[in-house]
Amino acid sequence: SILDSGECYKSCNETFGMTDARRLYCKKACDSDGDLAECKNDFCSTLCVKSAPNEDLGSWSKWFARAPGTDTSVDCLEACFHGCKMKPEEDD
């Protein structure tokens, strides 16, 4: 729940500075659904990596950064993964 995201947000704030765009991607992961694997594999990939390669550029274009404010999608993925690791466990 949103109430449980406080510690996750706090970790994002401490890890990434106020002006660091990666902080946003970390926080988005805090709010994502699913377990750790789903968060990393599905949520972060969708958030950070272009899913549809541009035909003209070939398959390698999928690695172009989709996340604004980051140099590469790797920066976004690292921040997103941090949020996944820090987010509260879901109670089933």
Side-chain angles (χ1 to χ4, degrees):
S1 73
I2 297 295
L3 293 175
D4 296 331
S5 296
E7 287 300 312
C8 188
Y9 278 16
K10 186 176 170 191
S11 181
C12 293
N13 289 340
E14 290 171 353
T15 305
F16 306 103
M18 288 291 288
T19 59
D20 193 331
R22 293 175 295 175
R23 195 167 61 118
L24 178 64
Y25 304 110
C26 182
K27 288 184 175 182
K28 283 182 181 286
C30 291
D31 294 331
S32 68
D33 293 323
D35 61 18
L36 181 61
E38 288 172 323
C39 183
K40 285 185 164 187
N41 298 332
D42 300 331
F43 180 80
C44 292
S45 294
T46 302
L47 179 69
C48 299
V49 182
K50 283 184 178 174
S51 54
N54 183 318
E55 297 296 331
D56 296 336
L57 297 174
S59 60
W60 60 272
S61 67
K62 72 181 177 182
W63 297 111
F64 280 159
R66 170 171 164 167
T70 57
D71 292 333
T72 66
S73 50
V74 172
D75 288 338
C76 177
L77 286 169
E78 285 177 357
C80 190
F81 288 175
H82 181 82
C84 290
K85 286 187 298 201
M86 300 310 296
K87 77 186 193 109
E89 294 294 315
E90 296 289 320
D91 294 328
D92 289 330

